[in-house]
């Protein structure tokens, strides 16, 4: 059975989320809605869906998402009961009618072979009310290869499109980055726990890009940049040697570029980077890193 966790705060697009759950062709799921002390009560709206699918609603008396969005996710997950699998669905995202049915139809294919199941996605753009092309993935893919495609901009990823094993979540938890920026990326390096990610491409999760999201607000740009630096360093420390050698060098370059987009690298950061270029030695990348280091040091 699947627990669909909805960390609720904004009502603007919430009915579309609920409608998509009511329209699921397979009702073998339970929804847990954790209201983050929202000023926009969903109770009247929820009454409309009381008989359409199984859900529990809990209102928290203190707002946590503005302090730590990952902690809000975690306390919402704690509402769930005996379900072995978890989906965290944004209160402005929605599913096509076959998502749960497809998951159950594919269950024997990934049972005991994968801790993380992913769906195809489409992006809904709030400002133009348009829907993107479909993003699909290899049916079986390592977490490292998936991450490389994401950071190279070949594909995209968001929390709502995954269903993951609760046992993996309990083992790793979410990295508590500000705004939960990159916390989902880190989770889907952690949660596979050495197993491949399995993708169901025949069903779609719709991910909405909206300025009402905390992470989507323009005023958070500087914080997101600094968080990205921290995130890439964590990935390098925890997972560098799960990547192929060329991918490692690309990851080191991405980390370096991410720092430079925000500020000048510190001497400590340069030592960290150059040491890893040396340990993953290829002549030209190593020589170029030394050259960039001296240029950076000599610049005022």
């Amino acid at each position: 059975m699947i627990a669909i966790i909805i960390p609720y705060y904004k009502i603007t697009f919430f009915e579309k989320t609920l409608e998509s759950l009511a329209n699921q062709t397979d009702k073998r799921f339970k929804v847990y809605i954790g209201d983050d002390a929202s000023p926009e009560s969903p109770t009247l709206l929820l009454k409309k869906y009381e008989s359409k699918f199984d859900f529990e609603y809990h209102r928290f008396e203190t707002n946590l998402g503005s302090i730590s969005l990952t902690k809000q996710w975690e306390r919402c997950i704690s509402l769930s009961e005996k379900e072995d699998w978890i989906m965290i669905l944004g209160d402005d995202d929605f599913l096509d009618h076959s998502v749960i049915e497809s998951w159950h139809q594919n269950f024997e294919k990934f049972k005991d072979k994968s801790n993380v199941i992913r769906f195809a996605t489409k992006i809904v753009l709030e400002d133009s009310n348009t829907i993107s092309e479909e993003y699909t993935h290899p049916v079986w893919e390592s977490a490292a290869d998936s991450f490389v495609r994401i950071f190279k901009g070949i594909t995209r990823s968001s929390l709502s499109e995954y269903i993951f094993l609760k046992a993996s979540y309990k083992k790793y938890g979410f990295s508590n980055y500000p705004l939960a920026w990159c916390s989902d990326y880190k989770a889907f390096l952690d949660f596979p726990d050495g197993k491949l990610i399995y993708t169901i491409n025949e069903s779609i999760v719709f991910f909405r890009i909206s300025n009402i999201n905390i992470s989507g607000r323009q005023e958070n740009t500087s914080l997101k940049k600094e968080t990205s630096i921290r995130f890439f360093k964590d990935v390098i420390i925890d997972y560098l040697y799960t990547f192929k050698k060329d991918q490692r060098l690309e990851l080191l370059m991405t980390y370096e570029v991410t720092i430079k987009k925000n500020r000048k690298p510190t001497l400590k950061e340069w030592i960290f980077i150059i040491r890893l270029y040396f340990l993953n030695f290829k002549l030209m990348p190593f020589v170029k890193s030394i050259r960039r280091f001296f240029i950076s040091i000599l610049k005022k």
Side-chain angles (χ1 to χ4, degrees):
M1 185 94 153
I2 302 166
I4 298 179
I5 310 298
I6 302 179
Y8 170 80
Y9 191 74
K10 289 288 188 179
I11 204 165
T12 309
F13 303 108
F14 191 41
E15 183 159 18
K16 183 69 175 178
T17 306
L18 297 175
E19 181 183 45
S20 76
L21 296 171
N23 289 338
Q24 289 302 301
T25 53
D26 190 324
K27 294 297 197 298
R28 285 178 286 174
F29 63 91
K30 184 171 181 177
V31 178
Y32 298 88
I33 302 164
D35 184 335
D36 193 19
S38 171
E40 302 175 346
S41 173
T43 52
L44 289 176
L45 182 59
L46 289 172
K47 285 185 180 295
K48 180 178 175 181
Y49 290 91
E50 278 181 347
S51 61
K52 297 186 178 180
F53 59 90
D54 188 11
F55 70 85
E56 288 186 13
Y57 168 74
H58 179 82
R59 179 176 173 84
F60 297 105
E61 294 307 313
T62 57
N63 177 266
L64 184 57
S66 61
I67 301 168
S68 172
L69 193 53
T70 56
K71 295 300 181 185
Q72 164 63 357
W73 295 347
E74 289 171 353
R75 73 174 176 178
C76 289
I77 290 175
S78 71
L79 299 173
S80 64
E81 298 170 348
K82 296 180 180 179
E83 298 86 1
D84 292 326
W85 294 86
I86 301 289
M87 168 186 271
I88 301 180
L89 182 62
D91 62 7
D92 53 0
D93 299 337
F94 57 98
L95 314 178
D96 82 16
H97 68 277
S98 66
V99 165
I100 302 301
E101 181 180 1
S102 295
W103 189 89
H104 285 290
Q105 287 176 343
N106 282 270
F107 184 76
E108 292 301 324
K109 296 178 183 177
F110 60 74
K111 180 183 177 184
D112 299 325
K113 298 176 185 175
S114 181
N115 299 335
V116 174
I117 315 306
R118 171 176 57 190
F119 292 89
T121 58
K122 290 186 178 182
I123 297 173
V124 181
L125 299 174
E126 178 199 10
D127 55 352
S128 59
N129 199 31
T130 57
I131 297 177
S132 75
E133 63 182 15
E134 188 174 325
Y135 291 84
T136 58
H137 309 279
V139 175
W140 291 101
E141 186 175 36
S142 71
D145 285 346
S146 174
F147 181 71
V148 167
R149 291 195 304 117
I150 293 166
F151 85 72
K152 290 176 73 173
I154 297 169
T155 190
R156 56 160 305 284
S157 177
S158 56
L159 184 61
S160 292
E161 69 207 57
Y162 294 88
I163 295 178
F164 51 90
L165 199 62
K166 185 186 284 187
S168 284
Y169 156 73
K170 287 183 175 180
K171 180 176 180 179
Y172 291 97
F174 286 102
S175 296
N176 189 25
Y177 299 130
L179 311 176
W181 188 250
C182 299
S183 294
D184 54 339
Y185 292 169
K186 184 61 161 54
F188 299 117
L189 282 166
D190 292 336
F191 293 177
D193 202 19
K195 296 181 181 179
L196 298 177
I197 296 171
Y198 182 82
T199 300
I200 300 172
N201 284 313
E202 60 264 32
S203 295
I204 298 169
V205 173
F206 293 84
F207 171 72
R208 191 183 300 274
I209 294 180
S210 166
N211 285 327
I212 68 173
N213 291 331
I214 293 175
S215 59
R217 295 175 190 163
Q218 290 299 312
E219 63 265 30
N220 292 323
T221 299
S222 178
L223 180 57
K224 288 189 288 187
K225 286 180 178 178
E226 197 60 40
T227 302
S228 294
I229 295 169
R230 175 182 163 191
F231 161 70
F232 275 108
K233 184 174 182 180
D234 287 348
V235 172
I236 289 167
I237 290 171
D238 293 345
Y239 289 107
L240 185 63
Y241 290 96
T242 67
F243 295 90
K244 303 176 185 75
K245 188 171 184 178
D246 285 345
Q247 292 174 340
R248 290 177 220 158
L249 295 171
E250 287 181 306
L251 184 56
L252 290 173
M253 175 59 77
T254 301
Y255 173 56
E256 183 183 331
V257 170
T258 301
I259 297 171
K260 289 177 178 176
K261 283 181 178 178
N262 197 34
R263 55 175 170 75
K264 188 175 179 178
T266 65
L267 179 60
K268 185 177 179 181
E269 285 169 335
W270 272 120
I271 291 170
F272 175 78
I273 291 167
I274 291 172
R275 175 179 175 273
L276 287 171
Y277 271 115
F278 176 74
L279 292 174
N280 296 275
F281 188 81
K282 270 195 170 183
L283 181 60
M284 288 310 296
F286 179 71
V287 170
K288 287 181 178 180
S289 71
I290 297 296
R291 180 176 180 271
R292 292 192 301 272
F293 165 69
F294 279 112
I295 291 172
S296 176
I297 294 299
L298 291 172
K299 275 185 178 179
K300 291 184 180 180

